[in-house]
Amino acid sequence: MPTPSELEMSRRNLLIGTASSVAIGTVPQAARAQNTVTGGTATATAPTTTRVSFTVNGAVRELDVDTRTTLLDALREHLHLTGTKKGCDHGQCGACTVIVDERRINSCLSLAVMHEGDSVTTIEGLGTPEQMHPMQTAFVKHDGYQCGYCTPGQICSAVAVIDEVKAGIPSHVTEDLNVPPQLTNAELRERMSGNICRCGAYSNIAEAITEVAGSPA
Amino acid sequence: MKPFTYERATSPAQAAASAAGARDAKFIAGGTNLLDLMKLQIEAPAHLIDVNGLALDKIEPTPDGGLRIGALVRNTDLAADARVRRDYGVLSRALLAGASGQLRNKATTAGNLLQRTRCPYFYDSNQACNKRQPGSGCAAIGGFSRQHAVVGASDACIATHPSDMAVAMRALDATVETVNPHGGARRIPIADLHRLPGDTPEIETTLQPGELITAVTLPKPVGGKHIYRKVRDRASYAFALVSVAAIVQRDGTGRMALGGVAHKPWRVEAAEAALPRGARAVAARLFESAKPTSQNAFKLALAERTIGAALMQAKG
Protein backbone atom coordinates (compact mmCIF):
# COMPACT_ATOMS: atom_id res chain seq x y z
CA MET A 1 0.00 0.00 0.00
CA PRO A 2 1.39 3.43 -0.83
CA THR A 3 2.32 5.66 2.09
CA PRO A 4 0.73 9.12 2.31
CA SER A 5 3.92 10.75 1.00
CA GLU A 6 3.94 8.43 -2.01
CA LEU A 7 0.34 9.42 -2.65
CA GLU A 8 1.18 13.10 -2.56
CA MET A 9 3.85 12.59 -5.20
CA SER A 10 1.79 10.18 -7.29
CA ARG A 11 2.38 9.87 -10.99
CA ARG A 12 -0.99 11.40 -11.78
CA ASN A 13 -0.51 14.50 -9.71
CA LEU A 14 2.85 15.09 -11.38
CA LEU A 15 1.76 14.34 -14.93
CA ILE A 16 -1.73 15.74 -15.17
CA GLY A 17 -1.09 19.27 -14.07
CA THR A 18 -3.59 21.06 -16.20
CA ALA A 19 -6.63 18.83 -16.26
CA SER A 20 -6.78 17.91 -12.60
CA SER A 21 -6.45 21.18 -10.76
CA VAL A 22 -9.19 19.90 -8.47
CA ALA A 23 -7.28 16.75 -7.53
CA ILE A 24 -4.05 18.65 -7.01
CA GLY A 25 -5.79 21.22 -4.88
CA THR A 26 -6.85 18.55 -2.40
CA VAL A 27 -3.33 17.51 -1.46
CA PRO A 28 -2.08 20.63 0.28
CA GLN A 29 -5.55 21.14 1.71
CA ALA A 30 -5.53 17.69 3.28
CA ALA A 31 -2.04 18.22 4.65
CA ARG A 32 -3.03 21.58 6.06
CA ALA A 33 -6.19 20.17 7.61
CA GLN A 34 -4.20 17.59 9.52
CA ASN A 35 -2.04 20.28 11.06
CA THR A 36 -4.88 22.55 12.07
CA VAL A 37 -6.44 22.22 15.48
CA THR A 38 -10.15 22.94 15.19
CA GLY A 39 -13.27 21.60 16.79
CA GLY A 40 -13.78 20.79 20.44
CA THR A 41 -11.55 17.74 20.87
CA ALA A 42 -8.33 18.38 22.76
CA THR A 43 -6.86 14.91 22.40
CA ALA A 44 -6.36 14.00 18.77
CA THR A 45 -7.11 10.50 17.57
CA ALA A 46 -4.22 8.93 15.69
CA PRO A 47 -4.87 7.86 12.08
CA THR A 48 -6.29 4.33 12.00
CA THR A 49 -5.79 1.78 9.26
CA THR A 50 -8.37 -0.89 8.52
CA ARG A 51 -8.40 -3.78 6.08
CA VAL A 52 -11.33 -3.95 3.67
CA SER A 53 -12.13 -6.29 0.82
CA PHE A 54 -14.58 -5.67 -2.01
CA THR A 55 -15.04 -6.59 -5.64
CA VAL A 56 -14.20 -3.97 -8.24
CA ASN A 57 -15.18 -4.64 -11.85
CA GLY A 58 -15.33 -8.38 -11.16
CA ALA A 59 -12.01 -8.75 -9.30
CA VAL A 60 -11.70 -9.09 -5.52
CA ARG A 61 -9.48 -6.34 -4.11
CA GLU A 62 -8.09 -6.22 -0.60
CA LEU A 63 -6.88 -2.91 0.76
CA ASP A 64 -5.41 -1.49 3.95
CA VAL A 65 -6.88 2.00 4.15
CA ASP A 66 -6.92 4.89 6.57
CA THR A 67 -10.48 4.87 7.92
CA ARG A 68 -10.93 8.35 6.42
CA THR A 69 -10.42 7.09 2.85
CA THR A 70 -13.52 7.54 0.70
CA LEU A 71 -14.52 4.92 -1.82
CA LEU A 72 -13.59 7.49 -4.47
CA ASP A 73 -10.03 7.88 -3.16
CA ALA A 74 -9.67 4.11 -2.71
CA LEU A 75 -10.58 3.62 -6.38
CA ARG A 76 -8.38 6.43 -7.69
CA GLU A 77 -5.38 6.53 -5.38
CA HIS A 78 -5.11 2.94 -4.18
CA LEU A 79 -6.44 0.97 -7.15
CA HIS A 80 -5.41 3.54 -9.78
CA LEU A 81 -8.82 3.39 -11.44
CA THR A 82 -8.75 7.05 -12.36
CA GLY A 83 -11.76 6.94 -14.69
CA THR A 84 -13.94 7.89 -11.73
CA LYS A 85 -13.49 11.62 -11.25
CA LYS A 86 -13.31 13.86 -8.21
CA GLY A 87 -15.31 17.02 -8.88
CA CYS A 88 -16.74 18.75 -5.82
CA ASP A 89 -15.98 15.92 -3.32
CA HIS A 90 -19.22 16.85 -1.51
CA GLY A 91 -21.94 14.93 -3.36
CA GLN A 92 -23.11 17.90 -5.37
CA CYS A 93 -21.76 17.26 -8.87
CA GLY A 94 -22.02 13.52 -9.57
CA ALA A 95 -18.60 13.20 -11.27
CA CYS A 96 -17.69 10.42 -8.82
CA THR A 97 -20.79 8.30 -9.55
CA VAL A 98 -20.12 4.55 -9.50
CA ILE A 99 -22.47 1.57 -9.29
CA VAL A 100 -22.36 -0.39 -6.02
CA ASP A 101 -24.48 -3.54 -5.75
CA GLU A 102 -26.48 -2.36 -8.78
CA ARG A 103 -27.23 1.10 -7.34
CA ARG A 104 -25.53 4.33 -8.40
CA ILE A 105 -23.97 6.30 -5.55
CA ASN A 106 -21.64 9.27 -5.00
CA SER A 107 -18.37 7.50 -4.19
CA CYS A 108 -17.05 10.69 -2.56
CA LEU A 109 -19.65 10.48 0.22
CA SER A 110 -18.95 6.89 1.20
CA LEU A 111 -16.08 5.44 3.22
CA ALA A 112 -14.10 2.60 1.67
CA VAL A 113 -14.27 0.64 4.95
CA MET A 114 -18.07 0.65 4.69
CA HIS A 115 -17.96 -1.43 1.49
CA GLU A 116 -16.77 -4.76 2.88
CA GLY A 117 -18.02 -7.48 0.53
CA ASP A 118 -19.69 -5.05 -1.88
CA SER A 119 -19.50 -5.21 -5.66
CA VAL A 120 -18.37 -1.96 -7.29
CA THR A 121 -18.59 -1.15 -11.01
CA THR A 122 -16.67 1.83 -12.33
CA ILE A 123 -16.51 3.25 -15.84
CA GLU A 124 -13.53 0.91 -16.47
CA GLY A 125 -15.80 -2.04 -15.70
CA LEU A 126 -18.59 -0.99 -18.04
CA GLY A 127 -16.51 -1.14 -21.20
CA THR A 128 -13.08 -0.71 -22.75
CA PRO A 129 -11.98 1.46 -25.71
CA GLU A 130 -12.04 -1.71 -27.83
CA GLN A 131 -15.31 -3.01 -26.49
CA MET A 132 -17.44 -0.12 -25.34
CA HIS A 133 -20.66 -0.38 -23.37
CA PRO A 134 -23.65 0.69 -25.53
CA MET A 135 -23.97 3.81 -23.34
CA GLN A 136 -20.34 4.74 -24.05
CA THR A 137 -20.90 4.22 -27.78
CA ALA A 138 -24.00 6.41 -27.67
CA PHE A 139 -22.19 9.21 -25.81
CA VAL A 140 -19.50 9.19 -28.52
CA LYS A 141 -22.08 9.09 -31.32
CA HIS A 142 -24.16 11.95 -29.89
CA ASP A 143 -21.25 14.07 -28.63
CA GLY A 144 -22.52 13.75 -25.07
CA TYR A 145 -19.61 15.74 -23.64
CA GLN A 146 -17.12 18.48 -24.33
CA CYS A 147 -14.27 18.41 -21.77
CA GLY A 148 -15.21 14.90 -20.65
CA TYR A 149 -14.59 15.35 -16.93
CA CYS A 150 -18.17 14.58 -15.87
CA THR A 151 -18.60 11.86 -18.50
CA PRO A 152 -17.69 8.72 -16.48
CA GLY A 153 -20.16 9.79 -13.80
CA GLN A 154 -22.80 10.67 -16.40
CA ILE A 155 -22.42 7.26 -18.06
CA CYS A 156 -22.51 5.26 -14.79
CA SER A 157 -25.54 7.27 -13.73
CA ALA A 158 -27.29 6.81 -17.09
CA VAL A 159 -26.78 3.04 -17.06
CA ALA A 160 -28.29 2.88 -13.58
CA VAL A 161 -31.18 5.21 -14.52
CA ILE A 162 -32.34 2.80 -17.22
CA ASP A 163 -32.34 -0.02 -14.65
CA GLU A 164 -34.23 2.16 -12.15
CA VAL A 165 -36.98 2.81 -14.68
CA LYS A 166 -37.13 -0.91 -15.57
CA ALA A 167 -37.44 -1.68 -11.85
CA GLY A 168 -40.44 0.69 -11.64
CA ILE A 169 -38.80 3.21 -9.31
CA PRO A 170 -40.77 6.47 -9.61
CA SER A 171 -39.29 9.98 -9.79
CA HIS A 172 -40.35 13.51 -8.87
CA VAL A 173 -41.94 14.00 -12.31
CA THR A 174 -43.74 10.64 -12.48
CA GLU A 175 -47.38 11.61 -12.90
CA ASP A 176 -49.06 8.56 -11.38
CA LEU A 177 -47.13 6.82 -8.61
CA ASN A 178 -49.06 3.62 -9.19
CA VAL A 179 -48.26 3.24 -12.90
CA PRO A 180 -44.81 2.00 -14.03
CA PRO A 181 -42.73 5.01 -15.16
CA GLN A 182 -41.56 5.48 -18.76
CA LEU A 183 -38.20 7.02 -19.66
CA THR A 184 -39.54 10.21 -21.24
CA ASN A 185 -37.30 13.24 -21.72
CA ALA A 186 -38.72 14.86 -18.58
CA GLU A 187 -38.12 11.68 -16.56
CA LEU A 188 -34.60 11.35 -17.88
CA ARG A 189 -33.69 14.94 -17.07
CA GLU A 190 -35.11 14.72 -13.55
CA ARG A 191 -33.31 11.44 -12.88
CA MET A 192 -29.99 12.77 -14.20
CA SER A 193 -30.17 15.99 -12.15
CA GLY A 194 -27.47 14.74 -9.77
CA ASN A 195 -24.90 14.86 -12.58
CA ILE A 196 -23.74 18.35 -13.43
CA CYS A 197 -22.06 19.16 -16.78
CA ARG A 198 -20.33 22.53 -16.79
CA CYS A 199 -19.90 22.37 -20.54
CA GLY A 200 -23.67 22.11 -20.87
CA ALA A 201 -23.79 18.99 -23.04
CA TYR A 202 -27.14 18.06 -21.56
CA SER A 203 -29.20 17.85 -24.75
CA ASN A 204 -26.68 15.48 -26.33
CA ILE A 205 -26.44 13.43 -23.14
CA ALA A 206 -30.24 13.14 -23.19
CA GLU A 207 -30.15 11.96 -26.82
CA ALA A 208 -27.51 9.34 -26.03
CA ILE A 209 -29.48 7.94 -23.09
CA THR A 210 -32.74 7.98 -25.07
CA GLU A 211 -31.12 5.96 -27.85
CA VAL A 212 -29.82 3.29 -25.44
CA ALA A 213 -33.08 3.15 -23.51
CA GLY A 214 -35.03 2.66 -26.72
CA SER A 215 -32.91 -0.17 -28.06
CA PRO A 216 -33.36 -3.74 -26.81
CA ALA A 217 -30.84 -4.53 -24.05
CA MET B 1 -11.09 14.96 7.93
CA LYS B 2 -9.98 14.29 11.50
CA PRO B 3 -8.79 10.75 12.19
CA PHE B 4 -11.33 8.42 13.81
CA THR B 5 -11.60 4.82 14.90
CA TYR B 6 -14.24 2.66 13.26
CA GLU B 7 -16.39 -0.27 14.30
CA ARG B 8 -19.19 -2.29 12.75
CA ALA B 9 -22.08 -2.58 15.19
CA THR B 10 -23.49 -6.05 15.80
CA SER B 11 -26.88 -5.17 17.32
CA PRO B 12 -28.86 -1.97 17.99
CA ALA B 13 -28.32 -2.35 21.75
CA GLN B 14 -24.59 -2.88 21.28
CA ALA B 15 -24.40 0.15 18.97
CA ALA B 16 -26.14 2.35 21.54
CA ALA B 17 -23.92 1.09 24.38
CA SER B 18 -20.84 1.62 22.28
CA ALA B 19 -21.90 5.17 21.42
CA ALA B 20 -22.46 6.01 25.08
CA GLY B 21 -19.12 4.48 26.09
CA ALA B 22 -16.86 6.10 23.50
CA ARG B 23 -15.64 9.68 23.40
CA ASP B 24 -17.20 11.78 20.60
CA ALA B 25 -18.84 8.82 18.88
CA LYS B 26 -21.28 9.06 15.98
CA PHE B 27 -23.44 6.51 14.22
CA ILE B 28 -22.96 6.32 10.48
CA ALA B 29 -25.45 4.80 8.01
CA GLY B 30 -25.68 6.33 4.53
CA GLY B 31 -23.07 8.91 5.46
CA THR B 32 -24.23 11.38 2.82
CA ASN B 33 -24.59 14.25 5.30
CA LEU B 34 -22.13 13.21 8.02
CA LEU B 35 -19.16 12.68 5.69
CA ASP B 36 -19.85 15.97 3.94
CA LEU B 37 -19.67 17.72 7.35
CA MET B 38 -16.63 15.69 8.45
CA LYS B 39 -14.70 16.81 5.38
CA LEU B 40 -15.36 20.39 6.47
CA GLN B 41 -14.54 19.51 10.11
CA ILE B 42 -17.93 20.79 11.18
CA GLU B 43 -18.36 17.28 12.52
CA ALA B 44 -15.22 15.67 13.91
CA PRO B 45 -16.18 12.39 15.63
CA ALA B 46 -13.35 10.43 17.23
CA HIS B 47 -15.21 7.17 16.71
CA LEU B 48 -17.64 6.01 14.03
CA ILE B 49 -20.13 3.22 14.63
CA ASP B 50 -21.26 1.74 11.33
CA VAL B 51 -24.85 0.58 11.78
CA ASN B 52 -25.38 -0.66 8.23
CA GLY B 53 -25.14 -4.32 9.26
CA LEU B 54 -28.03 -4.12 11.73
CA ALA B 55 -30.70 -5.53 9.39
CA LEU B 56 -33.01 -2.57 10.03
CA ASP B 57 -33.83 -2.38 6.34
CA LYS B 58 -37.31 -3.91 6.17
CA ILE B 59 -40.72 -2.30 5.65
CA GLU B 60 -43.28 -4.41 7.47
CA PRO B 61 -47.01 -4.13 8.22
CA THR B 62 -47.90 -3.34 11.84
CA PRO B 63 -50.74 -5.11 13.71
CA ASP B 64 -52.89 -1.95 13.59
CA GLY B 65 -52.74 -1.69 9.81
CA GLY B 66 -49.83 0.72 9.52
CA LEU B 67 -46.24 0.29 8.34
CA ARG B 68 -43.01 -0.08 10.26
CA ILE B 69 -40.09 1.35 8.30
CA GLY B 70 -36.64 0.16 9.39
CA ALA B 71 -34.18 2.95 10.20
CA LEU B 72 -31.87 1.75 7.42
CA VAL B 73 -34.43 1.63 4.60
CA ARG B 74 -32.89 3.73 1.84
CA ASN B 75 -34.83 6.75 0.59
CA THR B 76 -35.12 5.18 -2.89
CA ASP B 77 -36.61 1.96 -1.51
CA LEU B 78 -39.05 3.77 0.75
CA ALA B 79 -40.28 6.01 -2.07
CA ALA B 80 -40.65 3.01 -4.41
CA ASP B 81 -42.39 0.66 -1.96
CA ALA B 82 -45.77 -0.29 -3.46
CA ARG B 83 -47.61 0.15 -0.13
CA VAL B 84 -46.08 3.58 0.42
CA ARG B 85 -46.92 4.69 -3.11
CA ARG B 86 -50.51 3.49 -2.75
CA ASP B 87 -51.38 4.46 0.85
CA TYR B 88 -48.85 7.15 1.82
CA GLY B 89 -48.30 8.97 -1.48
CA VAL B 90 -47.30 12.19 0.29
CA LEU B 91 -44.26 10.34 1.67
CA SER B 92 -43.18 8.97 -1.71
CA ARG B 93 -43.62 12.41 -3.25
CA ALA B 94 -41.63 14.14 -0.52
CA LEU B 95 -38.75 11.67 -0.78
CA LEU B 96 -38.62 11.98 -4.57
CA ALA B 97 -38.56 15.78 -4.30
CA GLY B 98 -35.35 15.60 -2.25
CA ALA B 99 -31.69 15.24 -3.21
CA SER B 100 -30.54 13.27 -6.28
CA GLY B 101 -30.92 9.66 -7.37
CA GLN B 102 -27.40 8.85 -6.14
CA LEU B 103 -28.01 10.35 -2.70
CA ARG B 104 -31.43 8.70 -2.28
CA ASN B 105 -29.79 5.34 -2.97
CA LYS B 106 -27.58 5.79 0.09
CA ALA B 107 -29.50 8.06 2.44
CA THR B 108 -31.51 6.24 5.12
CA THR B 109 -34.81 6.89 6.85
CA ALA B 110 -33.24 7.70 10.23
CA GLY B 111 -30.37 9.63 8.67
CA ASN B 112 -32.79 11.79 6.70
CA LEU B 113 -34.58 12.74 9.94
CA LEU B 114 -31.28 13.57 11.64
CA GLN B 115 -29.65 15.51 8.80
CA ARG B 116 -28.38 18.93 9.75
CA THR B 117 -29.30 22.34 8.40
CA ARG B 118 -27.87 23.62 5.13
CA CYS B 119 -27.62 27.18 6.51
CA PRO B 120 -24.57 28.61 4.70
CA TYR B 121 -23.34 30.21 7.93
CA PHE B 122 -23.41 26.81 9.63
CA TYR B 123 -21.26 25.46 6.78
CA ASP B 124 -18.77 28.35 6.79
CA SER B 125 -16.51 27.97 9.82
CA ASN B 126 -15.28 31.55 9.42
CA GLN B 127 -18.76 32.78 10.37
CA ALA B 128 -20.45 32.97 13.74
CA CYS B 129 -22.91 30.14 14.28
CA ASN B 130 -24.49 29.15 17.58
CA LYS B 131 -25.35 25.75 16.17
CA ARG B 132 -21.78 24.95 15.14
CA GLN B 133 -20.06 26.80 17.97
CA PRO B 134 -22.47 27.60 20.83
CA GLY B 135 -22.16 31.17 22.06
CA SER B 136 -20.45 32.51 18.94
CA GLY B 137 -23.54 34.31 17.63
CA CYS B 138 -25.63 33.99 14.49
CA ALA B 139 -24.27 35.50 11.29
CA ALA B 140 -27.47 34.64 9.43
CA ILE B 141 -29.39 37.22 11.47
CA GLY B 142 -28.57 40.41 9.60
CA GLY B 143 -26.84 38.39 6.89
CA PHE B 144 -28.15 36.78 3.72
CA SER B 145 -31.28 35.19 5.14
CA ARG B 146 -33.37 34.49 2.06
CA GLN B 147 -33.47 30.75 2.75
CA HIS B 148 -33.98 30.95 6.50
CA ALA B 149 -36.78 30.33 8.95
CA VAL B 150 -39.77 32.66 9.15
CA VAL B 151 -41.44 31.07 12.15
CA GLY B 152 -40.34 29.35 15.38
CA ALA B 153 -36.83 30.83 15.15
CA SER B 154 -34.96 32.57 17.97
CA ASP B 155 -32.40 35.30 18.52
CA ALA B 156 -29.79 32.52 18.57
CA CYS B 157 -30.64 30.75 15.31
CA ILE B 158 -32.84 31.12 12.22
CA ALA B 159 -31.80 27.91 10.45
CA THR B 160 -34.34 25.63 8.78
CA HIS B 161 -34.59 21.86 8.83
CA PRO B 162 -33.72 20.68 5.31
CA SER B 163 -35.68 17.42 5.10
CA ASP B 164 -38.62 16.87 2.76
CA MET B 165 -39.30 13.37 4.09
CA ALA B 166 -39.72 14.61 7.66
CA VAL B 167 -42.42 17.09 6.55
CA ALA B 168 -44.50 14.28 5.06
CA MET B 169 -43.93 12.11 8.13
CA ARG B 170 -45.12 14.96 10.33
CA ALA B 171 -48.35 15.18 8.32
CA LEU B 172 -48.70 11.40 8.61
CA ASP B 173 -48.27 11.44 12.43
CA ALA B 174 -45.31 9.05 12.29
CA THR B 175 -43.69 7.68 15.43
CA VAL B 176 -39.94 7.22 15.89
CA GLU B 177 -38.74 4.08 17.68
CA THR B 178 -35.40 4.08 19.49
CA VAL B 179 -33.16 1.99 21.71
CA ASN B 180 -30.98 3.53 24.40
CA PRO B 181 -27.59 2.55 25.87
CA HIS B 182 -29.24 1.07 28.98
CA GLY B 183 -31.19 -1.52 27.03
CA GLY B 184 -34.47 0.41 27.01
CA ALA B 185 -36.65 1.35 24.07
CA ARG B 186 -39.12 4.18 23.54
CA ARG B 187 -41.49 5.64 20.97
CA ILE B 188 -41.34 9.34 20.17
CA PRO B 189 -44.14 11.09 18.23
CA ILE B 190 -42.41 12.79 15.31
CA ALA B 191 -43.81 16.14 16.51
CA ASP B 192 -41.56 15.76 19.57
CA LEU B 193 -38.39 14.56 17.80
CA HIS B 194 -37.13 17.87 16.44
CA ARG B 195 -36.67 20.91 18.67
CA LEU B 196 -37.05 24.61 18.04
CA PRO B 197 -33.72 26.41 18.39
CA GLY B 198 -34.40 28.54 21.48
CA ASP B 199 -31.16 29.29 23.33
CA THR B 200 -29.60 25.94 22.41
CA PRO B 201 -29.75 25.55 18.63
CA GLU B 202 -26.91 23.01 18.81
CA ILE B 203 -29.39 20.55 20.37
CA GLU B 204 -31.59 19.63 17.42
CA THR B 205 -33.54 16.62 18.64
CA THR B 206 -34.86 15.16 21.87
CA LEU B 207 -32.69 12.04 21.44
CA GLN B 208 -30.42 11.29 24.40
CA PRO B 209 -26.68 10.56 24.01
CA GLY B 210 -26.24 7.13 22.45
CA GLU B 211 -29.94 6.74 21.65
CA LEU B 212 -30.35 5.02 18.27
CA ILE B 213 -33.37 5.23 15.96
CA THR B 214 -34.39 1.72 14.92
CA ALA B 215 -37.60 2.40 12.98
CA VAL B 216 -40.29 4.87 12.02
CA THR B 217 -43.89 3.67 12.15
CA LEU B 218 -46.82 5.07 10.20
CA PRO B 219 -50.39 4.72 11.51
CA LYS B 220 -52.92 3.00 9.29
CA PRO B 221 -53.70 4.88 6.07
CA VAL B 222 -56.15 7.77 6.33
CA GLY B 223 -57.05 7.93 2.64
CA GLY B 224 -57.57 11.31 1.00
CA LYS B 225 -55.52 13.03 -1.65
CA HIS B 226 -51.80 13.02 -0.93
CA ILE B 227 -49.91 16.04 -2.17
CA TYR B 228 -46.36 17.31 -1.75
CA ARG B 229 -45.57 20.62 -3.40
CA LYS B 230 -42.04 21.97 -3.19
CA VAL B 231 -40.93 25.39 -4.38
CA ARG B 232 -37.21 25.83 -4.93
CA ASP B 233 -34.73 27.84 -6.97
CA ARG B 234 -34.12 24.99 -9.45
CA ALA B 235 -36.55 22.48 -10.90
CA SER B 236 -34.63 19.60 -9.31
CA TYR B 237 -31.94 18.84 -6.75
CA ALA B 238 -32.32 21.86 -4.48
CA PHE B 239 -33.58 22.48 -0.96
CA ALA B 240 -37.04 23.92 -0.45
CA LEU B 241 -37.80 27.59 -0.10
CA VAL B 242 -41.25 26.42 0.93
CA SER B 243 -42.82 22.99 0.75
CA VAL B 244 -46.31 21.77 1.61
CA ALA B 245 -47.25 18.22 2.58
CA ALA B 246 -51.02 17.85 2.50
CA ILE B 247 -53.56 15.08 2.92
CA VAL B 248 -56.96 16.42 1.93
CA GLN B 249 -60.25 14.53 2.28
CA ARG B 250 -63.27 14.88 -0.03
CA ASP B 251 -65.04 17.17 2.43
CA GLY B 252 -62.11 19.58 2.40
CA THR B 253 -60.77 18.65 5.83
CA GLY B 254 -57.27 17.30 6.20
CA ARG B 255 -53.77 17.76 7.52
CA MET B 256 -50.89 19.91 6.44
CA ALA B 257 -47.23 20.40 7.36
CA LEU B 258 -44.75 22.84 5.85
CA GLY B 259 -41.04 22.57 5.11
CA GLY B 260 -38.45 25.26 4.50
CA VAL B 261 -40.01 27.68 6.97
CA ALA B 262 -38.82 26.56 10.41
CA HIS B 263 -36.25 24.64 12.45
CA LYS B 264 -38.55 21.61 12.24
CA PRO B 265 -41.44 20.50 10.04
CA TRP B 266 -44.09 23.14 10.72
CA ARG B 267 -47.56 21.88 11.55
CA VAL B 268 -50.19 23.75 13.52
CA GLU B 269 -53.23 21.61 14.20
CA ALA B 270 -55.40 24.73 14.76
CA ALA B 271 -54.57 25.87 11.23
CA GLU B 272 -55.90 22.59 9.84
CA ALA B 273 -59.35 23.42 11.12
CA ALA B 274 -59.28 26.27 8.59
CA LEU B 275 -58.48 24.02 5.61
CA PRO B 276 -62.04 24.05 4.20
CA ARG B 277 -61.89 27.88 4.27
CA GLY B 278 -58.89 28.07 1.98
CA ALA B 279 -55.25 29.01 1.86
CA ARG B 280 -55.46 32.48 3.35
CA ALA B 281 -57.18 31.26 6.50
CA VAL B 282 -54.74 28.37 6.90
CA ALA B 283 -51.66 30.53 6.34
CA ALA B 284 -52.89 33.14 8.80
CA ARG B 285 -53.00 30.57 11.59
CA LEU B 286 -49.82 28.74 10.54
CA PHE B 287 -47.84 31.95 10.61
CA GLU B 288 -49.52 33.73 13.51
CA SER B 289 -46.20 33.98 15.35
CA ALA B 290 -44.03 34.52 12.23
CA LYS B 291 -41.06 36.86 12.46
CA PRO B 292 -39.50 36.92 9.00
CA THR B 293 -36.40 38.90 8.09
CA SER B 294 -36.58 41.57 5.39
CA GLN B 295 -35.03 39.05 2.98
CA ASN B 296 -37.32 36.11 3.59
CA ALA B 297 -40.68 37.78 4.18
CA PHE B 298 -41.56 36.62 0.67
CA LYS B 299 -41.87 33.12 2.09
CA LEU B 300 -45.12 34.07 3.81
CA ALA B 301 -46.77 34.99 0.51
CA LEU B 302 -45.11 32.04 -1.19
CA ALA B 303 -46.35 29.65 1.47
CA GLU B 304 -49.92 30.91 1.19
CA ARG B 305 -49.86 30.48 -2.58
CA THR B 306 -48.25 27.04 -2.33
CA ILE B 307 -50.96 25.99 0.12
CA GLY B 308 -53.52 27.37 -2.34
CA ALA B 309 -51.96 25.38 -5.18
CA ALA B 310 -52.00 22.24 -3.05
CA LEU B 311 -55.67 22.70 -2.19
CA MET B 312 -56.46 23.29 -5.86
CA GLN B 313 -54.60 20.12 -6.76
CA ALA B 314 -56.59 18.24 -4.12
CA LYS B 315 -59.83 19.18 -5.86
CA GLY B 316 -58.58 18.14 -9.30
Side-chain angles (χ1 to χ4, degrees):
Chain A
M1 187 202 127
T3 65
S5 62
E6 283 171 51
L7 284 177
E8 284 178 19
M9 295 299 285
S10 79
R11 182 179 58 87
R12 293 191 55 77
N13 283 343
L14 287 173
L15 292 184
I16 313 182
T18 50
S20 66
S21 59
V22 173
I24 285 182
T26 60
V27 173
Q29 217 171 15
R32 204 168 49 235
Q34 283 166 29
N35 294 328
T36 315
V37 180
T38 56
T41 50
T43 39
T45 305
T48 314
T49 301
T50 304
R51 175 154 296 191
V52 63
S53 169
F54 46 75
T55 302
V56 182
N57 301 331
V60 176
R61 310 298 296 257
E62 198 163 275
L63 293 172
D64 290 308
V65 291
D66 186 310
T67 50
R68 291 171 289 179
T69 310
T70 59
L71 177 60
L72 172 62
D73 286 341
L75 293 170
R76 289 182 54 84
E77 307 294 345
H78 292 259
L79 299 173
H80 305 292
L81 291 166
T82 52
T84 307
K85 298 296 188 259
K86 182 180 280 192
C88 68
D89 209 24
H90 285 278
Q92 297 171 3
C93 77
C96 69
T97 303
V98 298
I99 300 169
V100 178
D101 293 340
E102 300 178 2
R103 289 280 176 91
R104 55 182 170 143
I105 67 164
N106 298 116
S107 61
C108 75
L109 286 186
S110 203
L111 294 172
V113 294
M114 294 169 69
H115 289 282
E116 180 67 35
D118 284 357
S119 178
V120 182
T121 302
T122 69
I123 189 71
E124 291 93 342
L126 283 181
T128 62
E130 296 74 35
Q131 202 164 7
M132 289 199 286
H133 184 279
M135 192 64 78
Q136 292 172 312
T137 308
F139 267 65
V140 172
K141 179 181 164 190
H142 291 277
D143 250 345
Y145 47 79
Q146 283 185 44
C147 81
Y149 197 80
C150 72
T151 312
Q154 297 276 2
I155 290 176
C156 285
S157 209
V159 168
V161 160
I162 291 179
D163 288 341
E164 286 166 17
V165 173
K166 278 186 189 153
I169 295 171
S171 88
H172 175 61
V173 299
T174 304
E175 221 156 279
D176 186 341
L177 286 177
N178 297 302
V179 173
Q182 305 294 315
L183 197 58
T184 60
N185 190 266
E187 281 278 3
L188 183 162
R189 284 171 179 272
E190 161 60 26
R191 289 167 192 268
M192 291 295 292
S193 71
N195 291 84
I196 313 295
C197 171
R198 266 213 78 182
C199 302
Y202 296 112
S203 61
N204 294 2
I205 291 170
E207 281 175 28
I209 300 172
T210 303
E211 177 172 304
V212 178
S215 65
Chain B
M1 228 186 277
K2 292 284 187 185
F4 54 84
T5 50
Y6 170 85
E7 73 169 287
R8 294 188 184 108
T10 52
S11 74
Q14 180 269 321
S18 186
R23 179 178 60 84
D24 290 337
K26 282 257 174 205
F27 301 120
I28 187 165
T32 53
N33 187 214
L34 181 58
L35 288 171
D36 182 27
L37 293 169
M38 284 170 66
K39 288 180 182 194
L40 298 166
Q41 296 190 30
I42 295 166
E43 297 272 16
H47 184 61
L48 278 189
I49 301 163
D50 183 346
V51 295
N52 283 292
L54 296 186
L56 301 171
D57 56 356
K58 311 275 187 307
I59 306 175
E60 298 160 321
T62 61
D64 63 356
L67 276 187
R68 186 171 187 273
I69 303 157
L72 292 168
V73 173
R74 308 290 155 171
N75 287 179
T76 297
D77 296 313
L78 184 54
D81 184 272
R83 294 159 293 185
V84 175
R85 281 186 280 141
R86 186 189 62 215
D87 297 330
Y88 305 96
V90 66
L91 180 56
S92 273
R93 287 288 180 204
L95 283 158
L96 295 170
S100 67
Q102 288 95 317
L103 291 168
R104 290 192 297 270
N105 280 342
K106 264 280 158 204
T108 62
T109 305
N112 189 318
L113 288 175
L114 299 182
Q115 66 180 305
R116 306 202 65 189
T117 185
R118 292 332 193 266
C119 171
Y121 298 98
F122 173 71
Y123 263 75
D124 182 351
S125 38
N126 294 312
Q127 302 280 347
C129 173
N130 288 321
K131 195 183 271 300
R132 175 168 33 74
Q133 201 174 354
S136 64
C138 172
I141 297 172
F144 292 99
S145 56
R146 183 171 174 274
Q147 298 176 327
H148 291 76
V150 291
V151 68
S154 71
D155 291 341
C157 179
I158 57 169
T160 55
H161 195 272
S163 173
D164 292 294
M165 182 196 79
V167 182
M169 284 182 169
R170 179 71 180 88
L172 288 165
D173 280 330
T175 302
V176 176
E177 296 182 2
T178 69
V179 295
N180 67 41
H182 317 294
R186 66 168 172 152
R187 296 165 55 83
I188 309 167
I190 193 157
D192 300 336
L193 176 71
H194 297 107
R195 296 175 74 255
L196 289 177
D199 294 333
T200 52
E202 73 278 13
I203 305 170
E204 293 167 352
T205 69
T206 52
L207 296 180
Q208 299 299 308
E211 191 170 8
L212 176 73
I213 296 178
T214 51
V216 176
T217 56
L218 302 179
K220 73 172 190 205
V222 295
K225 284 247 187 184
H226 285 230
I227 292 157
Y228 191 78
R229 285 190 82 101
K230 178 175 180 179
V231 183
R232 45 187 160 175
D233 286 330
R234 294 192 296 254
S236 181
Y237 198 15
F239 291 98
L241 290 167
V242 168
S243 70
V244 173
I247 303 169
V248 185
Q249 305 295 342
R250 272 167 185 267
D251 61 5
T253 62
R255 313 146 170 222
M256 184 173 280
L258 271 73
V261 295
H263 199 254
K264 59 188 284 186
W266 194 248
R267 183 175 173 196
V268 176
E269 273 81 352
E272 290 173 359
L275 272 171
R277 305 208 332 261
R280 175 156 297 182
V282 176
R285 292 193 186 181
L286 269 175
F287 296 113
E288 218 161 26
S289 60
K291 269 172 63 181
T293 69
S294 60
Q295 292 184 11
N296 67 16
F298 75 92
K299 283 192 179 186
L300 297 177
L302 185 61
E304 185 184 318
R305 289 170 195 168
T306 310
I307 293 167
L311 294 179
M312 192 87 89
Q313 193 178 333
K315 283 180 193 157

